[in-house]
Amino acid sequence: NAGVMQNPRHLVRRRGQEARLRCSPMKGHSHVYWYRQLPEEGLKFMVYLQKENIIDESGMPKERFSAEFPKEGPSILRIQQVVRGDSAAYFCASSPIGASHEQYFGPGTRLTVT
Amino acid sequence: GNSVTQMEGPVTLSEEAFLTINCTYTATGYPSLFWYVQYPGEGLQLLLKATKADDKGSNKGFEATYRKETTSFHLEKGSVQVSDSAVYFCALSDKIQGAQKLVFGQGTRLTINP
């Protein structure tokens, strides 16, 4: 059973470009969570999604950031017009129905904005 | 809101030393508590968890006991190894619309010298 998969593992973008981060949850998992880790800090919750629904986006910046989890395909975290402060590691986690306290993390995408 | 405070690092020990990493939390209700470990360049792995007061989580020689009276969940290991070098995160679960988001401490970097 493959774990949570994220790609790309490393992403370099120039200021003003768009970044798209992908997350494929573990098989059978229908809940996806995105977290951001700034250098030397802990992870901060961004958004929680189920298939075709955003359940809680209280941790998402109000502008430039969006997330989706379509019926088919991976979850996408999209950052428009990136700025240097967006440089961070972005982690996706998934959990099964009924066991949402058990979150399994992917390896992360390290975004560098130059 | 709910929060987690960890002992500040970095922590450096010699092999076979006793390890304690302190973690205290502030929460309404009775969250589940977790320790995650992050090895260099990798995502987070669940190390152990406890879901109610006085529960003891244990794994790979690490232990932590859910202490409601002191709102603590300190991580301990009797004899550390070089391979335990990593960043350790304490976390609690915060319920959101039927699921749980994780609230993390800032992390403690542990280095074990041979």
Side-chain angles (χ1 to χ4, degrees):
Chain A
N1 188 9
V4 177
M5 300 178 70
Q6 289 187 251
N7 68 79
R9 293 292 305 274
H10 300 274
L11 182 61
V12 179
R13 285 286 177 265
R14 290 202 180 103
R15 278 180 298 171
Q17 291 185 319
E18 179 179 285
R20 280 185 179 238
L21 288 61
R22 293 175 186 77
C23 168
S24 296
M26 286 180 71
K27 190 176 178 181
H29 287 192
S30 60
H31 299 192
V32 165
Y33 311 78
W34 286 93
Y35 294 84
R36 177 166 65 174
Q37 184 181 30
L38 294 171
E40 302 300 318
E41 292 188 15
L43 279 72
K44 297 284 195 297
F45 169 81
M46 298 181 75
V47 62
Y48 159 50
L49 309 104
Q50 295 179 14
K51 286 281 187 183
E52 300 184 280
N53 281 308
I54 297 174
I55 307 301
D56 184 335
E57 55 183 345
S58 59
M60 288 268 275
K62 293 288 184 275
E63 297 177 353
R64 302 187 297 108
F65 284 72
S66 62
E68 62 178 12
F69 188 16
K71 189 176 179 182
E72 301 290 337
S75 175
I76 307 284
L77 179 67
R78 183 178 175 215
I79 311 172
Q80 295 179 288
Q81 299 175 321
V82 295
V83 300
R84 288 230 172 95
D86 297 333
S87 295
Y90 292 83
F91 290 96
C92 170
S94 72
S95 68
I97 296 172
S100 56
H101 57 282
E102 294 183 14
Q103 294 184 23
Y104 297 84
F105 283 79
T109 294
R110 279 158 180 79
L111 172 66
T112 302
V113 179
T114 61
Chain B
N2 295 349
S3 65
V4 175
T5 302
Q6 275 182 246
M7 151 184 188
E8 286 194 21
V11 174
T12 302
L13 296 172
S14 297
E15 205 164 21
E16 299 183 4
F18 183 86
L19 168 71
T20 300
I21 301 178
N22 290 340
C23 170
T24 57
Y25 67 91
T26 302
T28 52
Y30 302 98
S32 295
L33 301 174
F34 307 85
W35 277 99
Y36 280 84
V37 57
Q38 185 180 31
Y39 297 102
E42 297 185 12
L44 275 70
Q45 299 174 27
L46 178 63
L47 181 60
L48 54 84
K49 67 180 182 186
T51 56
K52 60 183 188 298
D54 299 325
D55 266 4
K56 179 187 280 189
S58 61
N59 186 25
K60 299 181 182 179
F62 290 89
E63 292 182 340
T65 301
Y66 191 143
R67 300 281 187 208
K68 181 165 159 279
E69 63 277 10
T70 54
T71 61
S72 65
F73 193 55
H74 305 320
L75 182 68
E76 296 183 336
K77 186 175 185 181
S79 177
V80 292
Q81 306 300 314
V82 172
S83 57
D84 294 327
S85 298
V87 181
Y88 291 81
F89 292 95
C90 185
L92 63 78
S93 61
D94 194 353
K95 201 157 189 179
I96 46 167
Q97 299 193 41
Q100 314 270 356
K101 67 180 179 185
L102 294 172
V103 176
F104 286 88
Q106 73 272 33
T108 302
R109 184 177 298 276
L110 173 66
T111 301
I112 307 300
N113 294 321

